[in-house]
Amino acid sequence: MTVNSQPLLAVENLTRSFGSGKNPVLAVNNVNFQLEPGEIMAIVGESGSGKSTLARLILRLLPISSGKINFEGQTLTASDTRNYWRKVQAVFQDPFAAFNQFYSVRGVLTQAARLVVGLSSSEREKRMTDALISVGLDPIEMLDKTPYQLSGGQKQRVMIARALMLQPKLLIADEPTSMLDASLRVSILNLLKDLRDQYGMSILFITHDIGQAYYVSDRLLVMYQGELVEQGKTEEVIAQAKHPYTQRLMADVPKLHG
Ligand code: ADP
Ligand code: MG
């Protein structure tokens, strides 16, 4: 990574409040950070600290109250979200939640393929096969399965494959392991690292678990009550946590293997 490369994502004074009157909730309060190409950045914070709101703002699923988001040097505007969603993909805590339970894996991946302009049906098939192989699933075995035939870990891998169909530059993973058995978590974290290495995409990995953040990330942001209270190289933040909240998080570092 070159030091003076243009950041992939630059978030400037980003703020989002909910409610009005005397006590609006500042879910995201004046947040600033940059994400470099090929970097894995973890955002860690307790429940309610504003992590998902930040993710939804970056994904343009939620309007910002103030501040701005630059992607590849351009300020995001309301137009052209389709093009943006080809480059920025997400996986969430509850895999398949957004899908009809009768959708097959093929259906889920085909739907993603529709966002790609000018893909022939044979190219689409190849992309599906490649995406499933990239996430460690057997395409022949998987394509016709429906969600209830899949384990939690397989479902999350299918969701990651769905994101890969678009060959995104940024993958936002919001608590992707929190519904998985502890024994499966490390394999998903390793998969994310492998995909970064293989495709050079950037990853924003959101978690309440500083142990997972430490395991997977190059840089670490700590959120507390909507604010970024700490950011830096993961090892440095962990070695010399400055904010009392980070120190508290570290005090009960959960073990990765549960
Ligand atoms: P996290 O993902 O870190 O658990 P969230 O971003 O979900 O945190 O929530 C941050 C704060 O914003 C919480 O106080 C939450 O109640 C509030 N919040 C989030 N979404 C909404 C919403 N749609 N309407 C009102 N308040 C919300
Ligand atoms: Mg959340």
Side-chain angles (χ1 to χ4, degrees):
M1 198 187 310
T2 52
V3 178
N4 56 2
S5 65
Q6 173 177 277
L8 182 70
L9 178 75
V11 167
E12 291 177 21
N13 305 322
L14 193 65
T15 297
R16 168 71 204 206
S17 56
F18 291 108
S20 53
K22 276 195 183 141
N23 299 308
V25 175
L26 274 167
V28 171
N29 189 1
N30 201 31
V31 163
N32 290 277
F33 71 90
Q34 296 190 346
L35 178 67
E36 305 300 328
E39 184 174 43
I40 301 183
M41 180 176 266
I43 300 177
V44 63
E46 66 193 354
S47 176
S49 58
K51 307 180 299 295
S52 293
T53 302
L54 178 58
R56 291 171 67 210
L57 293 172
I58 296 169
L59 282 164
R60 310 176 72 176
L61 297 172
L62 191 69
I64 64 180
S65 298
S66 62
K68 63 181 179 179
I69 301 170
N70 293 329
F71 187 80
E72 296 181 312
Q74 308 254 317
T75 300
L76 297 186
T77 58
S79 61
D80 206 22
T81 40
R82 265 177 86 86
N83 189 38
Y84 184 65
W85 288 332
R86 283 181 206 123
K87 294 178 182 172
V88 181
Q89 282 287 304
V91 293
F92 299 99
Q93 180 172 339
D94 185 4
F96 273 57
F99 290 92
N100 185 311
Q101 58 173 320
F102 301 108
Y103 255 51
S104 63
V105 170
R106 177 186 295 281
V108 168
L109 298 182
T110 301
Q111 197 196 46
R114 292 210 187 98
L115 276 168
V116 186
V117 176
L119 212 56
S120 71
S121 63
S122 64
E123 285 166 338
R124 189 183 65 209
E125 287 295 316
K126 166 124 177 43
R127 229 183 243 218
M128 281 195 221
T129 307
D130 290 349
L132 287 171
I133 290 170
S134 292
V135 299
L137 295 175
D138 178 353
I140 293 169
E141 193 188 317
M142 282 293 146
L143 276 168
D144 295 315
K145 292 214 159 135
T146 48
Y148 67 87
Q149 297 174 299
L150 302 173
S151 70
Q154 288 172 328
K155 283 185 205 173
Q156 198 54 286
R157 284 172 190 270
V158 169
M159 287 296 101
I160 295 169
R162 178 182 185 280
L164 291 180
M165 292 290 291
L166 284 296
Q167 301 174 346
K169 296 195 171 168
L170 169 60
L171 179 68
I172 299 181
D174 187 355
E175 309 248 16
T177 65
S178 49
M179 292 186 60
L180 303 180
D181 290 344
S183 59
L184 285 173
R185 283 183 196 143
V186 178
S187 66
I188 293 289
L189 299 183
N190 287 336
L191 171 61
L192 293 175
K193 291 208 262 191
D194 288 347
L195 294 174
R196 183 274 302 272
D197 294 344
Q198 195 179 339
Y199 299 107
M201 65 185 177
S202 306
I203 300 176
L204 262 186
F205 178 81
I206 294 173
T207 181
H208 60 273
D209 177 351
I210 203 164
Q212 290 186 46
Y214 178 66
Y215 186 79
V216 80
S217 68
D218 307 310
R219 275 202 298 150
L220 183 62
L221 307 181
V222 179
M223 277 189 95
Y224 182 61
Q225 297 184 348
E227 292 181 31
L228 270 191
V229 294
E230 196 127 39
Q231 66 172 299
K233 285 193 178 137
T234 300
E235 307 230 318
E236 290 171 11
V237 172
I238 301 270
Q240 42 200 299
K242 294 185 195 77
H243 195 277
Y245 175 65
T246 318
Q247 292 167 351
R248 253 196 290 144
L249 275 180
M250 312 252 302
D252 57 1
V253 169
K255 292 177 192 69
L256 264 177
H257 295 272

